[in-house]
Amino acid sequence: MPVNAGIAYAKAESEFNQATTIQEKLQALRKMLATAPKHKGVESLLKEIKTKIARYKGLAEKEKKQKKGSGKSLSIKKEGAATICIVGTVNSGKSTLLKKLTNANVEIASYPFTTKKPEIGILDYKGIKLQIVEIPAIIENFEYSEIGPSMLAIIRQSDLLIVIFKDKFELKLIDKELYGINIPRVYYYNQDNIKDLIWDNLNLIKVYTKQPGKKQDHPPIALKKASIVKDLAGYVHKDFLRKFDFARIWGKSVKFDGIKVGLEHKLEDEDVIEFHLKD
């Protein structure tokens, strides 16, 4: 941001960085142009904004023609408890990792740009389903490429990024192209415990329910960290809230297994919860 640009410009720049569609980007750029200082010291900035506007106008026109011709746009339907995107440069091993995590049937080859659209698989982590999306290779000026805006929109809607790179120059390129996307990241370099790293960096816990006198139910339920018994009860069934009497907990969130708790009790990963309802 230029010196003394003002609050309005800063807000417009923030809107541009957070925008997920071509039209939103264009709108933010126009605000940036309108609110930017107008003096010789910022001539290069104004020129850069105008260049971006021209590029996004071209992308908007391409997108319009594609939609008119096929009626389709690049997007994904979110599935599972979380969406994790694999991002990396050309031939960085994204497809190999996707196959390792999900057994997805993806093409793996040594030539560049094997992946031309998002490839999707499901990771089963101890009973929790996690959606893994492989994003086509990140390249210079990725946001101005034909699929760049659509891929960046998918990335922004994800819960975690797995970043693959071969050297510091590739990492620098990825960081530059994903600037302004504030999503937790895991940096992958063939760690054996990558599945655990993914889970540990998601804002989730997995808990189990059980019926009195029986073993815990499977599969577990994924909840956000800091969830309480009330959140789980509402997830299971609205009657569990309306008729709630107490719950018994086994796990890390209690000092003694099987102790009685109320709706406000905070849950921990791997807890087992037994609901008791009023007649």
Side-chain angles (χ1 to χ4, degrees):
M1 184 178 77
V3 178
N4 299 323
I7 296 174
Y9 180 87
K11 182 179 178 182
E13 186 178 41
S14 177
E15 289 176 3
F16 174 77
N17 289 332
Q18 297 300 319
T20 60
T21 68
I22 293 172
Q23 290 300 330
E24 288 174 353
K25 289 278 190 184
L26 262 176
Q27 185 177 2
L29 283 168
R30 286 168 177 148
K31 287 183 183 178
M32 289 169 64
L33 185 62
T35 56
K38 304 297 190 294
H39 54 76
K40 288 186 177 181
V42 293
E43 287 180 351
S44 60
L45 171 69
L46 297 175
K47 183 179 179 180
E48 180 184 348
I49 295 173
K50 290 176 181 178
T51 300
K52 286 184 177 181
I53 288 175
R55 285 175 174 173
Y56 274 103
K57 280 183 176 179
L59 289 172
E61 188 60 32
K62 282 184 180 180
E63 184 180 60
K64 185 178 179 181
K65 289 180 180 178
Q66 286 174 349
K67 287 183 177 180
K68 186 176 180 181
S70 66
K72 298 180 180 178
S73 61
L74 286 172
S75 62
I76 63 167
K77 179 182 178 182
K78 297 192 75 170
E79 298 180 55
T83 297
I84 298 96
C85 285
I86 301 175
V87 297
T89 51
V90 177
N91 285 349
S92 56
K94 301 184 306 299
S95 296
T96 300
L97 178 58
L98 177 66
K99 189 175 182 65
K100 176 181 178 179
L101 292 174
T102 69
N103 292 319
N105 185 22
V106 294
E107 184 179 359
I108 300 173
S110 59
Y111 54 82
F113 303 107
T114 309
T115 302
K116 299 178 181 179
K117 60 181 180 65
E119 298 286 353
I120 303 171
I122 298 294
L123 166 62
D124 187 323
Y125 183 79
K126 299 182 179 180
I128 300 294
K129 305 298 183 184
L130 303 173
Q131 184 181 53
I132 310 293
V133 182
E134 178 195 352
I135 300 295
I138 301 295
I139 58 174
E140 189 79 31
N141 294 319
F142 186 63
E143 66 177 326
Y144 302 121
S145 65
E146 186 174 344
I147 63 171
S150 295
M151 295 303 101
L152 289 172
I154 293 172
I155 290 172
R156 286 188 178 93
Q157 293 168 5
S158 66
D159 302 288
L160 180 71
L161 302 183
I162 304 176
V163 182
I164 304 182
F165 57 96
K166 295 191 287 289
D167 53 49
K168 63 181 181 180
F169 301 105
E170 291 191 351
L171 178 58
K172 186 176 180 180
L173 171 65
I174 293 170
D175 287 340
K176 174 188 171 185
E177 297 302 323
L178 300 185
Y179 175 77
I181 299 178
N182 299 316
I183 294 172
R185 302 181 184 187
V186 170
Y187 294 93
Y188 178 69
Y189 41 90
N190 297 318
Q191 300 100 312
D192 291 332
N193 64 335
I194 183 59
K195 294 181 180 181
D196 293 326
L197 286 172
I198 290 171
W199 179 256
D200 291 343
N201 282 276
L202 290 172
N203 187 35
L204 296 173
I205 59 173
K206 56 188 177 300
V207 298
Y208 300 84
T209 58
K210 72 179 290 292
Q211 298 179 48
K214 296 184 178 180
K215 294 183 179 180
Q216 65 191 44
D217 299 322
H218 287 274
I221 295 169
L223 297 173
K224 290 183 178 180
K225 286 182 179 178
S227 289
I228 57 178
V229 171
K230 183 178 180 180
D231 298 318
L232 177 60
Y235 177 89
V236 174
H237 198 281
K238 61 182 180 181
D239 283 347
F240 276 50
L241 275 178
R242 186 169 57 87
K243 297 182 178 181
F244 181 84
D245 189 9
F246 64 90
R248 292 189 185 277
I249 303 285
W250 288 258
K252 291 182 289 185
S253 72
V254 292
K255 290 184 178 180
F256 305 102
D257 282 343
I259 195 171
K260 285 185 179 182
V261 300
L263 286 172
E264 300 302 316
H265 178 80
K266 183 180 175 181
L267 299 171
E268 296 284 349
D269 193 44
E270 297 283 351
D271 274 356
V272 179
I273 301 92
E274 179 182 277
F275 285 103
H276 291 258
L277 308 179
K278 297 175 183 176
D279 294 334

